[in-house]
């Protein structure tokens, strides 16, 4: 089990803990109530921060961590056919080098009606600029391929969901539409994320103030989507 004191830097940070609760809360909503925690697995769970929000699903990652229930790559899932209710990916989808190998595996291990719930970078005007020019990870929309070469699990292309769900949406539907239906599309979290410095860097801006800003952002309507940094969606197995 996780020693939650390992996560105290996040747990003690007023903004980041609210950010994580917000993200995992939306993922739990996408998965819905018809799933059992023992048949739900987070892929790329890192330090297991979902536990800070009270979620007790399984934790898996390709890199070792004391928080893990299992160690495996997303492209090879160690589960029986149709044995799971849900797979959760928070900020992990864009790190998976062969996303279609993951989708093949997800389709195999999920029961019919089971869900892949994803929280990943969004492509609004502000987010696109920040991810492209100010973020340490890659944002590459020019590559024709969804897969990318990887020598390290931290390699990524943050534009991966943009390419699959927006740029190549007809191709995505043609290749995957008979196996997964896209549901519950939502956009979340605005400039508070930028002002916070992100998950790995802290700024001098007050966490309490950023938390209030996050709460305000979450109550805005669709007009605010231009300023949002993340989206959440579900893919339901047919
Ligand atoms: C940005 S971190 C997100 C960690 C955690 N979900 C969170 O939000 O705190 C991405 C995670 O994906 C994992 N990862 C990268 N490639 C993976 C793969 N092919 N299979 C499984 N996990 C992978 C990394 O090891 C890392 O823990």
């Amino acid at each position: 089990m996780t020693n939650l004191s390992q996560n105290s830097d996040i747990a003690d940070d007023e903004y980041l803990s609210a950010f994580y609760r917000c993200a995992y809360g939306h993922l739990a909503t996408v998965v819905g109530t018809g799933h059992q925690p023992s048949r739900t697995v987070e892929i790329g769970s890192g330090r297991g921060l979902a536990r800070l929000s009270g979620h007790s699903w399984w934790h898996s990652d390709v890199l070792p961590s004391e928080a893990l229930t299992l160690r495996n790559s997303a492209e090879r899932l160690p589960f029986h056919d149709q044995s799971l209710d849900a797979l959760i990916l928070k900020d992990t989808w864009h790190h998976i080098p062969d996303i279609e190998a993951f989708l093949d595996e997800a389709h195999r291990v999920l029961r019919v009606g089971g869900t892949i719930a994803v929280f990943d970078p969004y492509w609004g005007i502000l987010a696109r600029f920040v991810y492209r020019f100010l973020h340490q990870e890659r944002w590459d929309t020019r590559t024709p391929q969804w897969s990318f070469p990887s020598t390290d699990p931290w390699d990524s292309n943050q534009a991966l969901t943009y390419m699959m769900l927006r740029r190549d949406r007809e191709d995505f539907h043609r290749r995957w539409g008979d196996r997964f239906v896209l549901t519950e599309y939502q956009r979340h979290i605005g400039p508070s994320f930028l002002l916070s410095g992100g998950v790995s860097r802290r700024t001098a801006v007050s966490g309490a103030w950023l938390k209030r800003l996050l709460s305000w952002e979450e109550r805005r309507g669709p007009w605010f989507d231009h300023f949002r940094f993340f989206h959440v969606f579900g893919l339901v197995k047919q």
Side-chain angles (χ1 to χ4, degrees):
M1 291 293 285
T2 324
N3 174 0
L4 289 184
S5 64
Q6 292 170 332
N7 295 322
S8 58
D9 51 337
I10 305 262
D12 295 345
D13 183 297
E14 223 171 323
Y15 176 73
L16 282 184
S17 54
F19 169 89
Y20 269 89
R21 273 196 304 277
C22 176
Y24 281 113
H26 292 305
L27 285 164
T29 304
V30 167
V31 168
T33 50
H35 73 288
Q36 292 179 27
S38 61
R39 290 165 53 98
T40 298
V41 179
E42 181 173 359
I43 305 291
S45 58
R47 295 192 289 161
L49 293 167
R51 289 196 179 105
L52 296 175
S53 310
H55 298 295
S56 57
W57 50 59
W58 291 37
H59 296 266
S60 76
D61 202 293
V62 75
L63 286 178
S65 150
E66 282 182 26
L68 298 188
T69 329
L70 300 165
R71 188 171 167 201
N72 61 272
S73 91
E75 297 96 326
R76 259 189 101 150
L77 301 178
F79 303 103
H80 295 300
D81 295 1
Q82 309 212 36
S83 59
L84 297 183
D85 290 337
L87 295 168
I88 314 271
L89 289 86
K90 186 201 155 282
D91 266 322
T92 295
W93 181 282
H94 65 278
H95 286 279
I96 299 175
D98 186 349
I99 197 69
E100 292 196 278
F102 163 68
L103 286 172
D104 261 330
E105 275 290 83
H107 191 267
R108 180 182 67 75
V109 301
L110 285 172
R111 63 168 167 79
V112 173
T115 303
I116 309 175
V118 182
F119 175 100
D120 221 57
Y122 177 55
W123 55 78
I125 297 166
L126 181 61
R128 211 190 283 211
F129 177 84
V130 170
Y131 291 137
R132 171 82 178 80
F133 295 109
L134 303 178
H135 201 280
Q136 68 273 22
E137 286 181 34
R138 199 164 63 99
W139 173 275
D140 181 2
T141 56
R142 285 163 299 178
T143 173
Q145 276 131 16
W146 299 343
S147 60
F148 55 86
S150 171
T151 53
D152 184 292
W154 288 98
D155 291 337
S156 69
N157 182 1
Q158 295 188 103
L160 190 52
T161 56
Y162 165 77
M163 295 193 293
M164 297 176 78
L165 301 185
R166 171 98 180 220
R167 187 192 73 181
D168 306 333
R169 59 186 175 278
E170 283 164 24
D171 203 20
F172 181 76
H173 185 71
R174 186 175 52 75
R175 282 149 83 161
W176 291 98
D178 59 339
R179 283 177 276 176
F180 289 105
V181 168
L182 182 65
T183 60
E184 285 280 347
Y185 193 84
Q186 316 161 5
R187 302 169 184 95
H188 294 286
I189 304 175
S192 60
F193 180 71
L194 176 62
L195 295 172
S196 78
V199 170
S200 47
R201 283 180 299 140
R202 306 305 304 134
T203 61
V205 186
S206 143
W209 186 82
L210 287 171
K211 187 179 162 187
R212 278 202 296 281
L213 178 59
L214 172 63
S215 163
W216 179 85
E217 291 165 354
E218 288 296 286
R219 286 181 273 118
R220 295 312 99 197
W223 67 270
F224 197 68
D225 288 352
H226 295 304
F227 308 107
R228 297 195 198 275
F229 280 76
F230 297 95
H231 60 157
V232 177
F233 57 91
L235 293 170
V236 176
K237 175 178 166 172
Q238 299 306 290

